[in-house]
Amino acid sequence: MLTCFFLQAVFSVLLLKELGIQKSITLFLAGLFLVLSPTLLYQFNHPTLLAQWLIVGSFWVYFADKKHLTIQKKIFYQILFLFLAAVIHPY
């Protein structure tokens, strides 16, 4: 479960960097805000609902610059996120 919080923070910071935020303190506070959001904390008793990092990671891939990720890599990562979502949420 702690992995979900870590991945939420990592993908949040990556997404915010892609959106143009560069200050370290701003990235830290925004990442902390997104990790400590009530929506994520309320789902702590239900581990499969903690996988909101998949959505944030998918947004990061979508907004990633073509210099960082080619179209083929974007498709690969989106398929990987789709596979992980199917494995995490089998019902």
Side-chain angles (χ1 to χ4, degrees):
M1 283 195 286
L2 292 177
T3 306
C4 293
F5 286 98
F6 175 74
L7 290 171
Q8 175 85 5
V10 168
F11 285 123
S12 298
V13 169
L14 288 173
L15 176 62
L16 291 170
K17 279 186 176 181
E18 287 297 327
L19 295 176
I21 298 173
Q22 298 299 326
K23 287 188 174 184
S24 298
I25 188 71
T26 307
L27 290 171
F28 175 76
L29 291 175
L32 188 65
F33 177 74
L34 290 170
V35 168
L36 297 177
S37 68
T39 307
L40 191 63
L41 292 176
Y42 183 71
Q43 305 301 334
F44 196 74
N45 294 333
H46 200 290
T48 58
L49 295 179
L50 287 172
Q52 296 175 8
W53 59 271
L54 289 167
I55 298 169
V56 178
S58 183
F59 281 146
W60 166 66
V61 170
Y62 180 79
F63 287 113
D65 193 10
K66 291 182 181 177
K67 294 180 221 171
H68 299 124
L69 291 176
T70 63
I71 296 296
Q72 290 81 11
K73 284 186 180 180
K74 284 185 175 189
I75 292 171
F76 172 76
Y77 285 135
Q78 292 291 15
I79 291 172
L80 180 65
F81 283 133
L82 181 64
F83 173 76
L84 288 172
V87 171
I88 293 170
H89 304 288
Y91 53 90

